[in-house]
């Protein structure tokens, strides 16, 4: 992604390898439009959606700056199908609609087009996303890479190939095992047999939630729980992980690490940003763009 936008960018979406097919895909979608009654005609949701992806692609850090960029660059207006640049309040209302209603529709359509029907093995993990130290909505948390950080945490469930099935964005202080049940419940629509997680998900509540959805949840024994483990799971799993099949199975978890690396290389983490809703809009677009690339 491009972090700084200036007049030297002679950008044209017709030749862009990602935005051009993505914008054509948006045109093919069936999105509910607000019926015109009185006043000025509403701006097309498809055009506003293109603007949000444009914002994500160029890492524009606020809707106010997005408006200024659209006003300055006519090529962006034409690419997004805008006759004139909407008011900031229009973008704010559209962002709320996208977070609450638009993303689920778009996400489900992409997964349908990818023919994600029977993902037998699903991977679960989280990654820390740093934010501005001035972000009052972010929280301090612990990360393997950053140690102490202020920001958020992106929890994902992906297929072994790297397609994102579900997500939850929380503050950085949320425990992985506490968020896992919410992710697992969202997987009920698929015929999933196994979910693989790391030792942070070693929780009886997580396994029970998975079992209620007909899923076998497997995670290594957490060292903090190892002295207390006298149940069958605690006795059998360490032996299973030493088998050739167990090693191969848990080797698949490298797939979700690649997903996080790709998302971060594409700019999902914005350490200088602040505001949960601002971050969540950016993350949602990054997830859709990541999955959409599997269609190219």
């Amino acid at each position: 992604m491009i972090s700084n936008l200036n007049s030297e960018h002679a950008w044209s979406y017709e030749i862009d390898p990602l935005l051009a097919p993505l914008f054509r895909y948006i045109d093919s979608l069936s999105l509910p439009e607000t019926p015109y009654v009185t006043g000025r005609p509403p701006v097309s949701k498809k055009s506003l959606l293109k603007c949000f992806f444009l914002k994500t692609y160029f890492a524009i850090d606020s809707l106010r700056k997005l408006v200024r960029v659209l006003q300055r660059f006519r090529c962006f207006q034409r690419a997004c199908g805008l006759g004139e640049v909407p008011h900031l309040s229009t973008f704010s209302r559209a962002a709320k609609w996208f977070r609450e209603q638009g993303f689920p529709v778009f996400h489900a359509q992409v997964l349908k087009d990818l023919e994600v029907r029977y993902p037998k093995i699903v991977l679960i993990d989280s990654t820390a996303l740093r934010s501005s130290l001035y972000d009052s909505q972010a929280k301090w948390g612990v990360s393997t890479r950053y140690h102490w950080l202020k920001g958020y945490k992106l929890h994902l469930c992906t297929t072994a190939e790297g397609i994102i099935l579900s997500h939850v964005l929380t503050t950085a202080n949320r425990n992985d095992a506490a968020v896992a049940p919410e992710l697992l419940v969202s997987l009920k629509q698929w015929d999933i047999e196994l979910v693989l997680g790391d030792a942070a998900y070693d929780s009886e509540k997580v396994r029970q939630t998975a079992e209620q959805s007909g899923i076998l949840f497997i995670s290594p024994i957490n060292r903090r729980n190892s002295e207390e483990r006298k149940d069958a799971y605690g006795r059998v799993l360490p032996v299973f992980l030493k088998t050739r099949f167990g090693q191969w199975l848990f080797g698949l978890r490298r797939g979700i690490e690649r997903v996080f690396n790709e998302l971060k290389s594409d700019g999902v983490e914005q350490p200088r940003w602040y505001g949960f809703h601002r971050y969540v809009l950016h993350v949602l677009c990054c997830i859709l763009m990541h999955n959409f690339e599997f269609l190219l």
Side-chain angles (χ1 to χ4, degrees):
M1 293 187 185
I2 302 173
S3 58
N4 296 311
L5 188 66
N6 56 54
S7 57
E8 296 179 359
H9 291 297
W11 179 83
S12 173
Y13 95 101
E14 287 86 357
I15 61 174
D16 187 88
L18 178 60
L19 289 186
L22 178 59
F23 283 9
R24 288 195 294 270
Y25 184 79
I26 292 174
D27 288 332
S28 70
L29 294 177
S30 176
L31 297 177
E33 297 288 353
T34 303
Y36 171 65
V37 182
T38 59
R40 302 182 66 179
V43 182
S44 168
K45 284 188 171 65
K46 293 182 180 180
S47 294
L48 294 169
L49 193 54
K50 292 176 184 178
C51 292
F52 292 148
F53 283 111
L54 193 73
K55 174 182 179 297
T56 301
Y57 187 83
F58 289 106
I60 301 171
D61 62 6
S62 70
L63 294 176
R64 190 178 301 276
K65 288 186 180 180
L66 173 63
V67 171
R68 290 203 295 265
V69 168
L70 289 170
Q71 291 172 341
R72 181 178 179 184
F73 296 93
R74 286 293 186 90
C75 62
F76 291 159
Q77 294 182 38
R78 291 193 297 270
C80 295
L82 295 173
E84 59 180 346
V85 180
H87 190 269
L88 175 62
S89 60
T90 302
F91 282 108
S92 298
R93 291 192 296 271
K96 182 179 180 182
W97 166 83
F98 179 65
R99 291 193 303 266
E100 298 175 357
Q101 303 175 40
F103 173 81
V105 174
F106 199 138
H107 184 58
Q109 185 61 49
V110 172
L111 293 179
K112 180 180 179 181
D113 293 338
L114 286 171
E115 297 184 350
V116 180
R117 298 175 182 174
Y118 309 109
K120 298 299 182 182
I121 300 176
V122 169
L123 316 176
I124 184 173
D125 206 348
S126 69
T127 189
L129 301 178
R130 293 170 295 170
S131 70
S132 168
L133 294 177
Y134 301 100
D135 186 353
S136 61
Q137 295 177 317
K139 301 295 182 182
W140 286 95
V142 179
S143 166
T144 303
R145 179 178 180 182
Y146 303 122
H147 301 292
W148 282 98
L149 81 152
K150 187 174 185 180
Y152 302 97
K153 189 181 286 188
L154 177 60
H155 307 259
L156 294 182
C157 281
T158 74
T159 65
E161 296 79 18
I163 299 172
I164 299 173
L165 299 179
S166 62
H167 83 284
V168 175
L169 184 69
T170 67
T171 49
N173 62 332
R174 289 292 304 276
N175 181 271
D176 288 355
V179 180
E182 183 178 350
L183 280 169
L184 294 173
V185 168
S186 68
L187 299 177
K188 286 185 176 180
Q189 59 182 302
W190 290 288
D191 185 20
I192 296 170
E193 295 181 357
L194 295 175
V195 173
L196 306 178
D198 59 21
Y201 297 95
D202 180 23
S203 165
E204 186 63 29
K205 181 180 179 180
V206 173
R207 287 190 288 275
Q208 288 178 353
T209 303
E211 186 177 351
Q212 291 170 2
S213 300
I215 299 171
L216 175 61
F217 193 97
I218 303 179
S219 64
I221 302 300
N222 194 316
R223 292 181 180 180
R224 288 176 293 184
N225 303 332
S226 58
E227 296 181 358
E228 307 173 3
R229 303 305 290 267
K230 296 182 180 180
D231 57 316
Y233 184 87
R235 295 194 306 270
V236 172
L237 189 67
V239 177
F240 170 73
L241 292 179
K242 294 179 181 179
T243 65
R244 181 173 297 181
F245 176 71
Q247 293 174 357
W248 170 84
L249 187 64
F250 268 83
L252 296 176
R253 291 199 69 257
R254 290 191 292 269
I256 198 168
E257 298 297 336
R258 287 193 296 272
V259 172
F260 286 131
N261 289 337
E262 291 170 3
L263 287 172
K264 289 195 172 183
S265 67
D266 287 341
V268 70
E269 183 181 50
Q270 298 292 336
R272 301 180 66 179
W273 286 17
Y274 60 90
F276 179 77
H277 286 160
R278 179 179 298 182
Y279 226 122
V280 105
L281 176 64
H282 178 73
V283 166
L284 294 180
C285 289
C286 286
I287 289 174
L288 290 175
M289 291 169 72
H290 172 84
N291 280 351
F292 180 75
E293 289 189 63
F294 284 91
L295 289 173
L296 299 180

